[in-house]
Amino acid sequence: MFSLSRLTRPKALAVCAVPVIALLAVAGFVPLPFSVAQPGSTANVLGEYKGKPVITVTGAPTRETSGQLRMTTIVATGPDMDVSLGDVVDGWFRTDRSVMPRDSVYPTGNDVKEVEKHNLGDMKKSQDTATQSALAYLKAEGVDGTDKAKVEVDLGNIGGPSAGLFLSLGIIDLLDGNGSGKDLTGGRNIAGTGTISADGKVGPVGGVSMKTQAAKRDGASVFLVPEAECEDAQAEKPKGLRLIPVTTLKDTVDALRSLDRGGKVPSC
C-alpha cells in the first residue's frame, strides 16, 4: 500500500496536485451550458436596414425625420456550439463579453433551425404589437388619420421581441413627431431596447450591458432601458452614454419630449 506519510510535504502536495490538475484539464474541454454574448449590430428604425426601409407607413401622411432611433442587438454563441471552461473564464474577465445561461438565450432548445424559426416568429409578433401599441397611443393623443394607417416592418433576419419599444417610437415619430411639429428624437442618436405590449407596457430583455456598448459604438448619446434593468445597464455602461429608464410607451415619449426641452428626465 502506498502511504503519503512516508513522503516529504512538498512531494505529498505534488502527488495530490496531479489529480486536481488532471480534473481541471478535463473540465477545460468539457462543454458547459452557457452562451458567450457580445455587442451586436444596431438598426435605425427611422431609416433603412440592408437597403430597405425598416418602417413603411401607408394610408396616412408621414413626416420627414432627423435623428435616429436605434434598436440594439447582441450576438451569442449558437445553441449547438460548445462553450468550454476557458471560454467562460475569459468572458467573465472581459468587459466586451457576457456569459449567460444557454437556456436564457435559447429557451426553445438546441436545434438551430427551430431557434431561428422561434425568434423570427417572436419578431413578427413584436412588430404587430408595436404597431397596435403605437396607433393606440396616437389615437389617445387625438392624432387624426391614424385609424387608416397600415404599417409594414422589415428587419431582415433579426429575430426576437426586444425591438418592440423602438418600432412603436419609430411609428409615432413618422406620423406625429413629438406632437408639436418637431422630431421625437430632438435630432439625437437615441438607442435602447425593450419589449412592448399592446397596452403600451415596456418589458425587460436580455443582454442589456452588451447593448449599451453597441449603442455607444454606433454613435448613440442616449439609451432607453426598461426600468427593471437599470442595474444591468450600468454594469458596463460606456462613458458619455446617458441612461433613461422607461416603463410605458407614454412615459417614454414624455421623457423624450422633456429631454428635448431641457426638462427633468428620469435616470438610473
Side-chain angles (χ1 to χ4, degrees), residues 42-45 68-72 166 189-193 215 218-220:
T42 70
N44 175 24
V45 301
Q68 300 177 30
L69 286 169
R70 287 196 167 272
M71 56 149 289
T72 54
F166 270 67
N189 184 340
I190 295 173
T193 190
D218 290 353

Side-chain angles (χ1 to χ4, degrees), residues 78-152:
D80 59 342
M81 292 182 64
D82 291 339
V83 174
S84 68
L85 178 62
D87 297 324
V88 172
V89 172
D90 178 63
W92 274 332
F93 284 96
R94 293 180 60 167
T95 59
D96 62 342
R97 298 286 189 276
S98 180
V99 179
M100 307 167 69
R102 183 176 293 168
D103 58 6
S104 72
V105 182
Y106 302 108
T108 56
N110 295 333
D111 186 280
V112 176
K113 290 184 178 179
E114 283 299 316
V115 168
E116 290 178 350
K117 182 179 178 181
H118 175 81
N119 285 343
L120 289 174
D122 277 351
M123 173 57 81
K124 181 61 171 64
K125 291 178 184 177
S126 177
Q127 293 169 3
D128 294 342
T129 304
T131 299
Q132 183 180 352
S133 180
L135 295 180
Y137 169 85
L138 291 169
K139 183 178 180 180
E141 292 291 302
V143 180
D144 294 331
T146 57
D147 55 327
K148 296 181 179 180
K150 294 183 179 180
V151 181
E152 293 185 6

Side-chain angles (χ1 to χ4, degrees), residues 153-230:
V153 176
D154 189 343
L155 278 167
N157 61 354
I158 295 178
S162 65
L165 171 62
F166 270 67
L167 292 175
S168 290
L169 292 174
I171 294 167
I172 291 170
D173 203 9
L174 287 168
L175 288 172
D176 191 48
N178 70 350
S180 301
K182 296 182 179 180
D183 294 308
L184 188 58
T185 61
R188 295 176 176 83
N189 184 340
I190 295 173
T193 190
T195 64
I196 196 74
S197 65
D199 59 355
K201 293 179 181 177
V202 177
V205 295
V208 171
S209 64
M210 296 292 98
K211 291 179 178 181
T212 58
Q213 295 185 46
K216 183 63 177 179
R217 179 200 65 208
D218 290 353
S221 58
V222 176
F223 191 90
L224 306 178
V225 58
E227 187 177 53
E229 296 182 300
C230 267

